[in-house]
Amino acid sequence: MALAPENQPLKEIPPKAADLSAWYTAVCIKAELVSYSPVRGCVVLRPYGFGLWENLQKELDARFKATGHENAYFPLLIPESLLTKEADHVEGFAPEVAWVTHGGSEKLTERLAIRPTSEVIIGTMYAQWVESYRDLPILINQWANVLRWEKATRPFLRTMEFLWQEGHTAHANAAEAREETLRMLEVYREFAETVAAIPVYSGAKSASERFPGAVETYSIEALMPDGKALQSATSHDLGQNFSKAYDIDFTDADGLIKHAYTTSWGMSWRMLGAMIMTHGDDRGLRIPPKLAPVEAVFVPIVRGGDDRAVQRAKELAAALRIEGFRVRVDDRDETPGYKYAHWELRGVPVRIEIGPRDVDAQNVVLVRRDKTRGDDDHKTVVSENALAGALRVALDGVHATLHAQALEFLGSHTFVLQDRAAFFAACKNRDGMIDIAWCGRAECEAHVKAETSATTRNTHPLRGGETTCIACGEPATQRAYFAQSY
Amino acid sequence: MALAPENQPLKEIPPKAADLSAWYTAVCIKAELVSYSPVRGCVVLRPYGFGLWENLQKELDARFKATGHENAYFPLLIPESLLTKEADHVEGFAPEVAWVTHGGSEKLTERLAIRPTSEVIIGTMYAQWVESYRDLPILINQWANVLRWEKATRPFLRTMEFLWQEGHTAHANAAEAREETLRMLEVYREFAETVAAIPVYSGAKSASERFPGAVETYSIEALMPDGKALQSATSHDLGQNFSKAYDIDFTDADGLIKHAYTTSWGMSWRMLGAMIMTHGDDRGLRIPPKLAPVEAVFVPIVRGGDDRAVQRAKELAAALRIEGFRVRVDDRDETPGYKYAHWELRGVPVRIEIGPRDVDAQNVVLVRRDKTRGDDDHKTVVSENALAGALRVALDGVHATLHAQALEFLGSHTFVLQDRAAFFAACKNRDGMIDIAWCGRAECEAHVKAETSATTRNTHPLRGGETTCIACGEPATQRAYFAQSY
């Protein structure tokens, strides 16, 4: 049959700066993260890509459990009559829903939606489970596939089916629900920075960018190399909107029957798209070590039939695995140069070279993916018995570089503007995150969007001294980051 | 709103021996493993039930990785035209498929099936990925939800949507594929015995019980307390049936283009149903320690305002967590008796009692869930500083008891019969696993099924000396376990 793109001879990926979109697609395919599938809008997450997702899951799941949450699993299918109970919610999601109308050869009496998100089915269950204030809070997370009808397909960024987690909590009062919403926003921010090495702006969305049915939506927003923002996770305070629609009521300590306050919050495999675009370079991926399926790869060098380095690499790899490192030995019958390019494309943070002379000297050579020839610390000779410690240091170093470079980019592409014309020009030019004093009005936002394609990403408090909205001249009530976005 | 069944006052669950089915449903609901959902055929896996699934996943996933497999994720939806390429497969699954016909308000030009299993979509991708013998074997597993149209709903045993794993591999020759099929069968058998504490019979299914499209299907079969067998996992040698239908071909070392040999193998949350039925008793669940979300629960006893035991329990629990134990402290404002019943219902393997006098003596009391009042080793007084070791011993002891009791049951309910009338009577009576010399003919099997409702569960080789099929008198070619089944 025809060769799939990833099986065609490895060609140079296009330079990242020249065409981010072409670079992105090439890297996703050639690094074997994903394959396009015969199902429109759906991609296959291949083992190396799934390895990224497993590490994201492990890191995020530990944070959810540390903040008191438990996992559960709710049905994929939602009856149409249930979905339509919360008016804003159904209006927001109905155009994106895939409908099941037949089971076997039987036509259903009621259509079933494939979940685009699970507030509806989870709210319905919470209504059954909650009776008194003693049953609150409920703190549940679900790892699941969801589906939203899409025409376009862009790996991780825009697909019909995607993997995500969705947290859903119910509380006895508004303050607790708000606290939870902000707690999980902070979990996402901290994860983005310390695991994915991506600095983000976190804040509240404007009213028009809120989740359908939410009282307040918060997000973390990253800035991509093309100057477009990427919303990387959201956390919603749903107030009593869903508890009223789905009857989540309880007897409070004062004996009165009240509606609960609910929240929901999610991060999807989109985060991996942000990671790829933020850190990659012209040689391919650069994966932050905590997400890397392979933290270090041994490339043993065989010279004139002397293959002692292969055996030694396997022994050293086994020792590192016991210490908890994710390592591989590439003992394929290929040239070192081929292997270097192979693993650089795949973004492995550290390469460990070992040849016959290294075996004699009981050394190895660590090569960091974040460094290039000419950098002082590109290669380090390390004694075998100091390898684990040196590898830890090297991995921490790679994370630090990736984060510092991304932070430098975000900082140098965030513009605090005071001038209306400059603001509109910066939005139109995709200069980055444009930070202005803002009026908070939907009309103003709509006007900016129509003129420049930029929208508010999220908002933050006035610093003091701002009086008027830079975009329209009305009184300023807050600050907002404007940017074009994915 | 109306109280859900699990929120109604805790009533005695019915005795297990009197009505297994009523006992089973009551335990699943009252122990808060599952809730029925508003979606016909679908249940919610609640946090405590999901905790069981997480432990199953962790244990099984480690075994898959140790045998060289990687995880990946494939699309939920399968175009109808793809599904129909393998004739036996589509015939077997078409009646069970849920069909998506609309996306948003748009009617689709081709219907999409929600995966009932993923051979089709995965085979299609393997065809793209495989080019030469160097690309083989492919060893991939997927953790996923699948959907098969069902009228009945029985938690874990029979639901429309269920969680499972499905392994899919491709190999260069028939011998390797068969070896893989048998390797994974053995992984399942070993998991059943050493993790779920369930002894099983493993062997090949008869031709009529094969997976649609398989050359050979193997299974592990457990025996439930009502004398019915429960198929707990299957492993399929698919030969070249799927590689021919989906064009998984490759250039072999000899330069010839050949079809690959594929396998698939799966275990679902059904295994949890087997575990519940096998081990539970009139007080509720008895969970084998390796699957237990909570291995041990502290019940501190407060006497006359002396609540030092609560603080001490928390300290001891923290120390045990550092040692890797999954423990909880029940410091709710309820009586000890209420708490004992609560955790016994939930099958926690070990209870740790601690009162003021224990605090003074620096002791705790371990109470094993597999023992009852009167047993010598029901309660053990343990010094605080010996707690971790004693808990390990107690947990191992609980596993050993559960396995031994299940093995005793399986052994005493396996009947090696030589007589036709006795065989038919035993099948009809649901006496257990009825082991006979068998002809292997589908007609014979169909006759037994029509007369007794029993089917072959799986087969094993003749021991030697058998000449005729006990069921029909034709020449015997193998031995088979017959039983009625779930």
Side-chain angles (χ1 to χ4, degrees):
Chain A
M1 72 272 126
L3 291 185
E6 60 270 36
N7 283 339
Q8 289 164 9
L10 189 72
K11 289 186 200 116
E12 289 298 316
I13 49 174
K16 189 181 179 194
D19 185 344
L20 181 66
S21 176
W23 173 90
Y24 179 80
T25 305
V27 164
C28 285
I29 298 295
K30 299 239 180 225
E32 297 184 324
L33 300 181
V34 298
S35 279
Y36 290 103
S37 84
V39 194
R40 194 193 67 173
C42 295
V43 297
V44 173
L45 195 54
R46 300 186 70 173
Y48 196 61
F50 201 85
L52 294 171
W53 182 245
E54 281 182 318
N55 288 331
L56 179 151
Q57 278 195 300
K58 190 183 66 182
E59 292 279 350
L60 214 46
D61 201 69
R63 286 164 171 78
F64 295 157
K65 285 178 174 152
T67 45
H69 303 85
E70 296 179 295
N71 289 323
Y73 186 75
F74 295 84
L76 174 73
L77 300 178
I78 304 170
E80 185 165 17
S81 58
L82 264 189
L83 196 66
T84 54
K85 277 196 188 177
E86 212 290 330
D88 289 341
H89 189 68
V90 69
E91 193 187 315
F93 282 106
E96 302 186 356
V97 164
W99 293 103
V100 174
T101 59
H102 289 75
S105 55
E106 170 199 357
K107 188 170 192 300
L108 307 186
T109 52
E110 180 179 17
R111 302 198 297 177
L112 300 169
I114 298 183
R115 61 181 164 220
T117 179
S118 300
E119 279 74 10
V120 163
I121 186 73
I122 294 181
T124 302
M125 299 313 301
Y126 285 5
Q128 287 187 30
W129 296 342
V130 175
E131 191 185 334
S132 101
Y133 68 97
R134 286 188 202 86
D135 302 321
L136 296 172
I138 303 184
L139 305 172
I140 286 182
N141 174 63
Q142 167 171 271
W143 292 95
N145 54 341
V146 290
L147 202 139
R148 297 176 188 176
W149 209 255
E150 282 281 355
K151 303 272 178 189
T153 310
R154 269 192 114 182
F156 301 118
L157 300 176
R158 197 164 285 278
T159 52
M160 189 161 90
E161 184 187 7
F162 57 91
L163 298 181
W164 78 345
Q165 60 68 218
E166 46 181 325
H168 295 268
T169 69
H171 306 264
N173 61 61
E176 256 189 44
R178 179 57 61 94
E179 193 186 334
E180 167 78 6
T181 309
L182 293 171
R183 179 183 300 118
M184 301 325 286
L185 179 71
E186 175 57 16
V187 164
Y188 290 140
R189 190 204 60 75
E190 186 270 340
F191 170 90
E193 306 244 0
T194 66
V195 178
I198 300 178
V200 292
Y201 292 131
S202 83
K205 302 293 273 188
S206 70
S208 57
E209 298 275 331
R210 258 177 221 146
F211 179 77
V215 168
E216 194 77 85
T217 287
Y218 300 86
S219 73
I220 56 170
E221 305 274 339
L223 185 63
M224 297 299 101
D226 57 358
K228 286 164 78 174
L230 197 149
Q231 177 177 299
S232 305
T234 49
S235 186
H236 314 293
D237 182 344
L238 304 174
Q240 295 180 309
N241 290 344
F242 283 83
S243 66
K244 283 177 180 166
Y246 296 95
D247 298 323
I248 313 174
D249 48 45
F250 68 99
T251 308
D252 206 351
D254 58 15
L256 298 176
I257 293 182
K258 299 177 183 173
H259 292 295
Y261 294 78
T262 67
T263 83
S264 67
W265 29 274
M267 179 182 281
S268 78
W269 68 17
R270 208 160 202 250
M271 189 70 190
L272 299 180
M275 180 276 283
I276 294 162
M277 272 201 280
T278 299
H279 301 308
D281 67 13
D282 289 352
R283 291 183 284 155
L285 296 171
R286 298 195 304 169
I287 305 179
K290 284 186 185 147
L291 288 178
V294 180
E295 290 173 304
V297 61
F298 283 88
V299 179
I301 290 142
V302 176
R303 274 218 182 83
D306 179 350
D307 64 355
R308 289 176 301 147
V310 175
Q311 184 53 35
R312 197 73 198 110
K314 287 181 183 173
E315 290 161 10
L316 293 170
L320 288 174
R321 277 189 204 107
I322 290 168
E323 303 261 345
F325 291 99
R326 298 184 292 274
V327 295
R328 271 175 76 158
V329 177
D330 186 350
D331 60 353
R332 291 176 297 171
D333 185 18
E334 303 281 0
T335 64
Y338 174 92
K339 293 179 186 179
Y340 297 169
H342 178 93
W343 295 110
E344 286 182 350
L345 172 63
R346 282 160 184 76
V348 172
V350 174
R351 178 171 82 227
I352 306 177
E353 300 175 359
I354 176 170
R357 269 177 300 191
D358 298 304
V359 174
D360 290 336
Q362 300 193 302
N363 285 334
V364 297
V365 180
L366 300 193
V367 187
R368 279 168 56 166
R369 179 65 180 85
D370 59 322
K371 302 292 180 180
T372 50
R373 242 160 286 176
D375 286 349
D376 270 358
D377 43 3
H378 174 224
K379 292 193 173 201
T380 320
V381 178
V382 173
S383 151
E384 281 179 358
N385 55 33
L387 176 55
L391 179 56
R392 182 81 274 143
V393 169
L395 291 170
D396 289 348
V398 173
H399 179 92
T401 299
L402 297 183
H403 187 268
Q405 290 176 351
L407 188 60
E408 152 64 21
F409 179 81
L410 178 62
S412 62
H413 291 77
T414 298
F415 299 94
V416 179
L417 299 185
Q418 312 295 342
D419 176 73
R420 185 170 192 278
F423 166 72
F424 276 83
C427 285
K428 213 176 283 186
N429 291 345
R430 295 203 316 222
D431 282 345
M433 293 283 198
I434 318 301
D435 179 7
I436 60 163
W438 185 49
C439 61
R441 295 179 316 119
E443 301 86 327
C444 171
E445 198 176 11
H447 178 68
V448 174
K449 186 175 181 181
E451 293 288 315
T452 69
S453 300
T455 52
T456 55
R457 302 321 303 154
N458 55 35
T459 65
H460 48 132
L462 290 173
R463 293 169 179 182
E466 303 100 321
T467 53
T468 58
C469 171
I470 302 301
C472 71
E474 294 288 315
T477 57
Q478 60 206 285
R479 299 194 64 86
Y481 293 107
F482 278 80
Q484 294 184 38
S485 72
Y486 277 88
Chain B
M1 73 269 126
L3 290 186
E6 59 270 36
N7 283 338
Q8 289 165 7
L10 189 72
K11 289 187 199 115
E12 288 299 315
I13 49 174
K16 191 181 179 193
D19 185 343
L20 180 65
S21 174
W23 173 90
Y24 178 80
T25 305
V27 164
C28 285
I29 299 293
K30 299 236 181 228
E32 297 184 325
L33 301 181
V34 298
S35 278
Y36 291 102
S37 85
V39 194
R40 192 193 68 172
C42 296
V43 297
V44 173
L45 194 56
R46 300 185 70 173
Y48 196 61
F50 200 85
L52 294 172
W53 181 246
E54 281 182 318
N55 288 331
L56 179 151
Q57 278 196 298
K58 190 183 63 180
E59 291 280 351
L60 213 47
D61 201 69
R63 285 162 171 79
F64 295 157
K65 285 177 175 153
T67 45
H69 302 85
E70 298 179 294
N71 290 323
Y73 187 75
F74 296 84
L76 173 74
L77 299 179
I78 304 171
E80 185 166 18
S81 58
L82 264 189
L83 195 67
T84 52
K85 278 197 188 175
E86 213 290 331
D88 288 342
H89 190 68
V90 68
E91 194 188 314
F93 282 106
E96 301 186 357
V97 165
W99 293 103
V100 173
T101 58
H102 289 73
S105 54
E106 170 199 356
K107 187 171 193 299
L108 308 186
T109 52
E110 180 180 14
R111 302 198 297 176
L112 299 170
I114 298 184
R115 61 180 165 222
T117 178
S118 300
E119 278 74 10
V120 163
I121 186 73
I122 294 180
T124 302
M125 299 313 299
Y126 284 6
Q128 288 187 30
W129 295 343
V130 175
E131 190 185 336
S132 101
Y133 69 97
R134 287 187 201 87
D135 301 322
L136 296 173
I138 303 185
L139 305 172
I140 286 181
N141 174 64
Q142 167 171 270
W143 292 96
N145 54 340
V146 290
L147 202 138
R148 297 177 189 176
W149 210 254
E150 283 280 355
K151 303 271 178 189
T153 310
R154 269 191 113 182
F156 302 117
L157 301 177
R158 197 165 285 277
T159 52
M160 189 161 91
E161 183 188 7
F162 57 91
L163 297 182
W164 80 345
Q165 60 68 218
E166 46 181 326
H168 295 269
T169 69
H171 305 264
N173 61 60
E176 256 190 43
R178 178 58 60 94
E179 193 186 333
E180 167 78 5
T181 309
L182 292 171
R183 179 183 301 117
M184 301 324 287
L185 180 70
E186 175 57 15
V187 163
Y188 289 141
R189 190 205 60 74
E190 186 269 340
F191 170 90
E193 305 245 2
T194 66
V195 178
I198 300 177
V200 293
Y201 290 132
S202 82
K205 300 295 272 189
S206 70
S208 58
E209 297 276 331
R210 258 177 222 147
F211 179 76
V215 168
E216 194 77 85
T217 287
Y218 300 86
S219 73
I220 56 169
E221 304 275 339
L223 185 63
M224 297 299 103
D226 57 359
K228 287 165 78 173
L230 195 149
Q231 177 179 298
S232 305
T234 50
S235 186
H236 314 294
D237 182 345
L238 305 174
Q240 295 179 310
N241 290 344
F242 282 84
S243 65
K244 284 176 181 167
Y246 296 95
D247 298 323
I248 313 175
D249 48 45
F250 69 100
T251 308
D252 206 350
D254 58 16
L256 298 177
I257 293 182
K258 299 177 183 172
H259 292 295
Y261 294 77
T262 67
T263 84
S264 67
W265 28 274
M267 180 182 279
S268 78
W269 68 16
R270 208 162 202 248
M271 188 71 191
L272 299 179
M275 180 278 283
I276 294 162
M277 272 201 280
T278 298
H279 301 308
D281 67 13
D282 289 353
R283 291 184 283 154
L285 296 172
R286 298 194 305 170
I287 306 179
K290 285 185 185 148
L291 288 179
V294 181
E295 291 173 303
V297 61
F298 283 87
V299 179
I301 290 142
V302 176
R303 275 219 183 81
D306 179 350
D307 62 356
R308 289 175 301 146
V310 174
Q311 184 53 34
R312 196 73 197 110
K314 287 181 181 172
E315 290 161 10
L316 293 171
L320 288 174
R321 279 191 203 105
I322 289 168
E323 303 261 344
F325 291 100
R326 299 185 291 275
V327 295
R328 271 176 76 157
V329 177
D330 186 351
D331 60 353
R332 291 176 296 171
D333 186 20
E334 303 282 0
T335 65
Y338 175 91
K339 294 179 184 179
Y340 297 170
H342 178 93
W343 295 110
E344 286 182 351
L345 171 63
R346 282 160 183 77
V348 172
V350 173
R351 177 171 83 227
I352 307 177
E353 301 175 0
I354 177 169
R357 269 177 303 190
D358 299 303
V359 174
D360 290 335
Q362 299 193 302
N363 284 335
V364 297
V365 181
L366 299 193
V367 187
R368 280 169 55 167
R369 178 64 179 84
D370 59 322
K371 304 290 179 179
T372 49
R373 242 159 287 175
D375 287 348
D376 269 358
D377 42 4
H378 175 225
K379 292 194 173 199
T380 321
V381 177
V382 173
S383 151
E384 280 180 359
N385 55 33
L387 176 54
L391 180 55
R392 182 80 277 144
V393 169
L395 291 170
D396 290 348
V398 173
H399 179 92
T401 300
L402 297 183
H403 187 267
Q405 290 176 351
L407 189 60
E408 152 65 20
F409 179 80
L410 178 62
S412 63
H413 291 78
T414 298
F415 298 94
V416 180
L417 299 185
Q418 312 294 343
D419 177 72
R420 185 169 193 278
F423 166 71
F424 276 84
C427 285
K428 214 176 284 187
N429 289 345
R430 295 204 314 223
D431 282 347
M433 292 283 197
I434 318 300
D435 179 6
I436 61 162
W438 185 49
C439 61
R441 296 179 315 118
E443 301 87 325
C444 171
E445 199 176 10
H447 177 69
V448 174
K449 187 174 181 180
E451 292 288 314
T452 70
S453 300
T455 52
T456 55
R457 301 321 304 155
N458 56 34
T459 65
H460 48 132
L462 290 172
R463 293 170 180 180
E466 303 100 322
T467 53
T468 57
C469 172
I470 302 302
C472 71
E474 293 289 315
T477 57
Q478 60 206 284
R479 299 194 63 85
Y481 293 107
F482 279 80
Q484 295 184 38
S485 72
Y486 277 88

